[in-house]
Amino acid sequence: NLSEVHRGERRGDGVDYMIRPDIVPISPDNLQGLSRLFDACDQPHVKQWQFNPRRCAVAVWKGEVVGFVASWWDKQPFAWIDLLLVHPAHRGQGIGTVLAWTMEALLRGEGVKVIRCVLDEGDEIAVSLEKAGFTRIGHPLLMERVYHEVEGTE
């Protein structure tokens, strides 16, 4: 539930935020903005994808869609971040990291133990994922976040 995920709650996270976007669910209200984001990020083919509203989030700043994250999970112990986009004019401002944390919270709430993402070498999103706690583990660039339960806690 996105209303339970609050951006920027992690203190001392090493992310220098220039803006703090609202993180909202995908909805008819932001579809045009998403289309513009996909074009700006040179990902127009993504417009044809079908997104599960429970597995994606939209970053909005001053009424403009500035980022998007979508994941895939089929009840396996791991999930995939399929897409993490930040508008080129807003990169380097912590938006990708906040979106990764948002997806992490949503997936962890459903019991996911491992989150993975495959990126192209040199993909700028790798920095956002690293700041969100992901580790590079392979080539092409495979990033993973593994959660180890502490005995007696969730």
Side-chain angles (χ1 to χ4, degrees), residues 86-136:
V86 176
H87 193 286
H90 295 284
R91 291 183 182 156
Q93 300 177 352
I95 296 167
T97 303
V98 170
L99 285 167
W101 283 336
T102 300
M103 189 53 59
E104 171 191 345
L106 291 171
L107 292 169
R108 291 279 293 143
E110 294 190 34
V112 171
K113 304 289 185 213
V114 177
I115 302 174
R116 294 179 177 155
C117 185
V118 177
L119 304 170
D120 294 327
E121 196 63 48
D123 195 321
E124 296 174 14
I125 293 301
V127 174
S128 295
L129 291 171
E130 286 176 328
K131 288 181 180 180
F134 284 72
T135 304
R136 297 171 188 244

Side-chain angles (χ1 to χ4, degrees), residues 16-92:
D16 294 324
Y17 298 98
M18 296 179 77
I19 66 173
R20 289 195 180 265
D22 291 321
I23 306 298
V24 300
I26 193 169
S27 72
D29 294 339
N30 52 40
L31 291 180
Q32 285 185 341
L34 280 169
S35 179
R36 288 190 296 273
L37 174 69
F38 298 155
D39 288 339
C41 294
D42 199 26
Q43 300 288 323
H45 64 282
V46 174
K47 295 176 192 177
Q48 306 304 316
W49 291 11
Q50 295 294 317
F51 295 107
N52 179 339
R54 294 181 51 222
R55 305 247 193 296
C56 56
V58 179
V60 178
W61 172 250
K62 295 185 177 181
E64 177 187 356
V65 173
V66 295
F68 179 72
V69 64
S71 67
W72 179 84
W73 182 53
D74 67 350
K75 307 294 183 190
Q76 299 295 318
F78 59 88
W80 294 93
I81 290 181
D82 284 334
L83 189 63
L84 179 57
L85 298 174
V86 176
H87 193 286
H90 295 284
R91 291 183 182 156

